[in-house]
Amino acid sequence: MLLPEGVLINGMTGAVSPETGKYTKRLSELSEVFQDRAELDRQVAEKGDPIVYEVVEYKKEGSDIFFGTTTMEPGNVNGEYYMTRGHFHQRRDMGEVYYTQSGHGVLLLESRDGRTEVVRMDPGVCAFIPPDWAHRSINVGDEKLVFVWVCNVEAGHDYGDILKRGMRKLVVDRGEGLILVDNPRFAD
Ligand code: F6R
Ligand code: ZN
């Protein structure tokens, strides 16, 4: 029988206690995600391949749901803010919840038929991600962005589509603050 449990989450650091797994993504692992790959390589060499984000999870064998945190560092590659890979779920009938704890971000969403939506990620905002919307989180602040996510264990990740063709929109700062622009590399 599964037993209930209280899990301590630190909204400033993303620490989860107890945790059952974690991984980090460094800048060199995200080279397909950013536009300016020469600048990305330069940063990797200069900064020693910085961590862009860390994911920590709490998952119980036999449970239907799991949850965890994603902690994103601040930074950008030639004006393109640090972001996650972005994905659809393999299960097209399963959505997700992102509850922002600290920092400031943008959740960029894209429906299967190409509609773009944006939800601000500010402390206290609990974002509803409907089934079959690709989602990518972007740290647009100058501190860590920490959010709690809750998902069905069977949702799965489909990274292929977004990696191959990109998302239709980019969130960038070209010197005048945050704007949404068309992705010149988007391949339909
Ligand atoms: C799970 C989910 C999050 C992300 C995490 C990293 O469905 O949406 O836990 O997996 O924020 O983002 P990706 O997986 O896009 O690199
Ligand atoms: Zn997801």
Side-chain angles (χ1 to χ4, degrees), residues 90-110:
Q90 282 165 334
R91 283 284 302 260
R92 293 184 173 208
D93 57 339
M94 291 180 177
E96 191 164 0
V97 166
Y98 278 12
Y99 185 25
T100 301
Q101 303 294 295
S102 59
H104 299 281
V106 165
L107 178 58
L108 179 66
L109 302 119
E110 199 173 293

Side-chain angles (χ1 to χ4, degrees), residues 87-89 96 98 129 135 151 156-157:
H87 58 271
F88 283 99
H89 290 158
E96 191 164 0
Y98 278 12
I129 302 170
H135 42 288
C151 195
H157 294 93

Side-chain angles (χ1 to χ4, degrees), residues 1 15 43 72 80 98-99 146 151 162 174:
M1 180 174 58
Q43 275 193 29
M72 304 188 65
E80 217 182 347
Y98 278 12
Y99 185 25
V146 182
C151 195
I162 300 297
R174 301 225 167 110

Side-chain angles (χ1 to χ4, degrees), residues 118-143:
V118 159
V119 176
R120 285 297 306 223
M121 299 178 78
D122 296 313
V125 177
C126 191
F128 166 56
I129 302 170
D132 221 20
W133 281 74
H135 42 288
R136 160 178 285 163
S137 48
I138 303 167
N139 185 353
V140 302
D142 48 21
E143 54 192 310

Side-chain angles (χ1 to χ4, degrees), residues 107-179:
L107 178 58
L108 179 66
L109 302 119
E110 199 173 293
S111 67
R112 196 65 74 167
D113 59 4
R115 173 173 174 157
T116 295
E117 292 286 332
V118 159
V119 176
R120 285 297 306 223
M121 299 178 78
D122 296 313
V125 177
C126 191
F128 166 56
I129 302 170
D132 221 20
W133 281 74
H135 42 288
R136 160 178 285 163
S137 48
I138 303 167
N139 185 353
V140 302
D142 48 21
E143 54 192 310
K144 283 180 198 290
L145 171 67
V146 182
F147 62 93
V148 172
W149 46 266
V150 185
C151 195
N152 191 296
V153 292
E154 284 171 10
H157 294 93
D158 169 10
Y159 292 107
D161 285 351
I162 300 297
L163 265 187
K164 254 185 282 147
R165 59 168 180 75
M167 291 182 80
R168 284 173 166 77
K169 299 286 179 186
L170 307 176
V171 177
V172 295
D173 180 355
R174 301 225 167 110
E176 284 162 12
L178 184 162
I179 49 169

